[in-house]
Amino acid sequence: MRNPVPACDRLEQALARILDPSGEGSRTFLSLYRESAEQAATAADRRSRDGTTLGPLDGAIVSIKDLFDVAGERTRAGSIALDDALPAREDAPIVRGLRDAGAIIIGKTNMSEFAFTGVGANPHYGTPGNPADRSRVPGGSSSGAAVAVADGMCEISIGTDTGGSTRIPAALCGVVGYKPTKERISTRGAFPLSPTLDSVGPLGHSVEACALADSVLAGERPWDLERPTLQELKLAVPQGPVLEDLDEVVAPRFESSIGLISRAGARIVDLELPVLERMNDVQSVATIATVEAYRIHHRRIAERGSDYDPIVRSRIETGSAVSTDAFLGMLKARSELVAAMDLALVGVDALIYPTTPIVAPTFEDISATKGFNANNRLLLRNTAIANFFDLCAISLPMRGPGALPAGLMIVGRHGTDRQLFRIAAAIEMLLSG
């Protein structure tokens, strides 16, 4: 990700945007590492002059979500309920990996409290306005990550994704967001929401930026992002709920995007996926994420429940309705459905459908609990599929009339991350042309 502009100059520009009193920096960043970032930028420029490099992110300006451990700091996870937590003893592995790769970590970005809504609102630290329309939410839970990239406060953001938390804000803010196959990237040192479903992924301005960041996060050597020809691809559009309730922006853009891809030679087919209904059956009482979140938080809620966002607390508490035996049954059923989904996708290069059925809601839309919950369900509906079935998935901006961004999601089979990046790069080139 070589940039001809010196790292120190790019860092200065990013800091100016963060510190601009008329901008969203104070709501986007909860911690700013100005001194260490300046030192890292100076070192990166020195390596550049010497003709050496630490890898594809050497000199890249990167932010990290507020739930990653940084040695000597208390990890907030977007909450005030952890203000008595002990400082982290060491950097999370992904933070250490970024530093070793020469990335310039500029700060920690805002998020939904405990990563538990797709809306992105945070009543404790404020919510950054959507870059396309400041009266609208950024999406979550990696809200600050998407705004930071879209507003030029960094070049790459690292978020987490348990039900769509990199892809939802990417779609709503007009950037690229990636969710890997879970096992590829360590979640150690990230405050957990759902250990079964949590994954770590990047947001950036391009598929290439996300692919390079992903390789560093996964501890892999950089690899070739050679794009396949679209004529080689068979892409499936899942039928059923993922195509329901598309709003007046998302529906025509999705139709237009599918048309472009089809005319470029890709084979687009409809695909019935009964496993999606079975997923809903398994989670009819509460989701896996909700049950695991309740197990993590119930003692702290008993002690400090008034310090939680009431909507987040209410969602977590629904997990109390599932007994241990019932939860073990849910996990067993999920394992069976993961295998069934993998078989259902044999012969298909990727699934393709809207990242979210709606564009970013306004702050007024989510001001009451009923509106918040309704919009939150819609925002999470399509993205959560990839987490439940442990697939890899990416959201790309869909172009079209109007200022509000919308996302196209491409979903690959478990473990096909590199191929998914290549497919996404080919589609990105077509959609941005």
Side-chain angles (χ1 to χ4, degrees):
M1 194 176 166
R2 278 291 176 186
N3 192 313
V5 179
C8 287
D9 292 348
R10 289 183 284 109
L11 176 63
E12 183 178 352
Q13 294 167 5
L15 288 168
R17 292 186 176 96
I18 294 170
L19 299 171
D20 181 355
S22 65
E24 296 295 308
S26 63
R27 286 178 288 274
T28 300
F29 280 86
L30 302 188
S31 297
L32 194 60
Y33 304 136
R34 182 167 188 166
E35 183 176 348
S36 61
E38 289 173 341
Q39 293 171 352
T42 298
D45 283 341
R46 185 182 305 117
R47 288 191 295 273
S48 180
R49 289 192 298 270
D50 293 343
T52 61
T53 181
L54 297 177
L57 293 192
D58 198 353
I61 301 170
V62 178
S63 67
I64 57 175
K65 194 172 180 176
D66 191 52
L67 51 60
F68 290 112
D69 285 350
V70 170
E73 292 185 10
R74 177 175 53 83
T75 303
R76 288 166 298 216
S79 180
I80 61 173
L82 295 178
D83 60 8
D84 58 350
L86 295 174
R89 297 179 62 181
E90 60 183 5
D91 288 347
I94 69 104
V95 174
R96 186 168 60 250
L98 289 167
R99 295 192 201 279
D100 291 346
I104 300 163
I105 300 179
I106 195 170
K108 282 187 173 182
T109 52
N110 201 352
M111 56 182 285
S112 307
E113 184 181 43
F114 295 120
F116 209 25
T117 78
V119 170
N122 188 306
H124 309 301
Y125 300 105
T127 304
N130 190 298
D133 179 348
R134 300 300 185 190
S135 71
R136 295 176 181 270
V137 300
S141 65
S142 305
S143 52
V147 175
V149 171
D151 275 349
M153 300 178 193
C154 66
E155 294 162 346
I156 294 170
S157 286
I158 309 302
T160 58
D161 192 311
T162 305
S165 290
T166 59
R167 292 161 288 147
I168 294 168
L172 270 51
C173 292
V175 299
V176 179
Y178 191 70
K179 177 242 176 277
T181 303
K182 174 181 171 57
E183 66 199 33
R184 292 184 62 252
I185 298 173
S186 173
T187 56
R188 187 163 61 85
F191 193 93
L193 170 58
S194 170
T196 297
L197 304 178
D198 292 343
S199 57
V200 174
L203 298 88
H205 283 293
S206 68
V207 172
E208 180 183 20
C210 287
L212 291 173
D214 174 84
S215 68
V216 170
L217 295 174
E220 299 175 349
R221 295 175 62 86
W223 48 274
D224 183 14
L225 192 60
E226 181 180 352
R227 299 166 177 83
T229 61
L230 291 171
Q231 290 85 350
E232 300 172 8
L233 301 180
K234 179 182 178 182
L235 306 174
V237 179
Q239 301 302 289
V242 299
L243 300 180
E244 294 175 358
D245 302 315
L246 304 186
D247 70 18
E248 65 278 4
V249 174
V250 174
R253 288 201 196 168
F254 179 63
E255 183 177 354
S256 175
S257 297
I258 290 294
L260 280 172
I261 296 167
S262 178
R263 289 192 295 275
R267 183 183 174 198
I268 307 291
V269 299
D270 296 341
L271 183 63
E272 299 289 344
L273 288 173
V275 289
L276 298 182
E277 292 183 14
R278 294 168 64 190
M279 175 189 76
N280 293 331
D281 291 342
V282 169
Q283 300 188 119
S284 59
V285 176
T287 65
I288 289 173
T290 301
V291 178
E292 293 191 325
Y294 180 73
R295 292 181 169 202
I296 292 166
H297 287 276
H298 71 277
R299 289 189 179 87
R300 188 170 292 273
I301 287 176
E303 298 170 356
R304 302 193 55 173
S306 62
D307 290 329
Y308 280 63
D309 175 349
I311 291 176
V312 169
R313 186 181 70 242
S314 176
R315 294 190 70 217
I316 291 173
E317 288 175 336
T318 63
S320 65
V322 178
S323 68
T324 298
D325 286 345
F327 183 57
L328 291 175
M330 290 174 67
L331 294 180
K332 181 176 183 295
R334 183 215 178 212
S335 295
E336 294 169 354
L337 291 178
V338 166
M341 174 65 90
D342 192 58
L343 286 175
L345 298 183
V346 171
V348 172
D349 292 300
L351 300 175
I352 187 166
Y353 55 103
T355 308
T356 63
I358 58 173
V359 296
T362 66
F363 283 100
E364 179 64 25
D365 291 335
I366 64 155
S367 59
T369 301
K370 182 178 180 181
F372 186 106
N373 289 336
N375 281 284
N376 190 56
R377 281 193 296 272
L378 281 173
L379 290 172
L380 288 162
R381 185 193 71 193
N382 289 3
T383 54
I385 293 167
N387 302 85
F388 184 91
F389 292 101
D390 198 11
L391 308 171
C392 48
I394 191 166
S395 179
L396 307 180
M398 289 193 293
R399 311 301 176 187
L404 296 178
L408 178 71
M409 189 157 60
I410 312 167
V411 180
R413 292 174 69 187
H414 176 98
T416 62
D417 297 72
R418 290 191 178 189
Q419 176 65 5
L420 181 62
F421 273 122
R422 293 184 176 113
I423 292 170
I427 294 174
E428 175 188 48
M429 179 177 292
L430 178 67
L431 296 185
S432 61

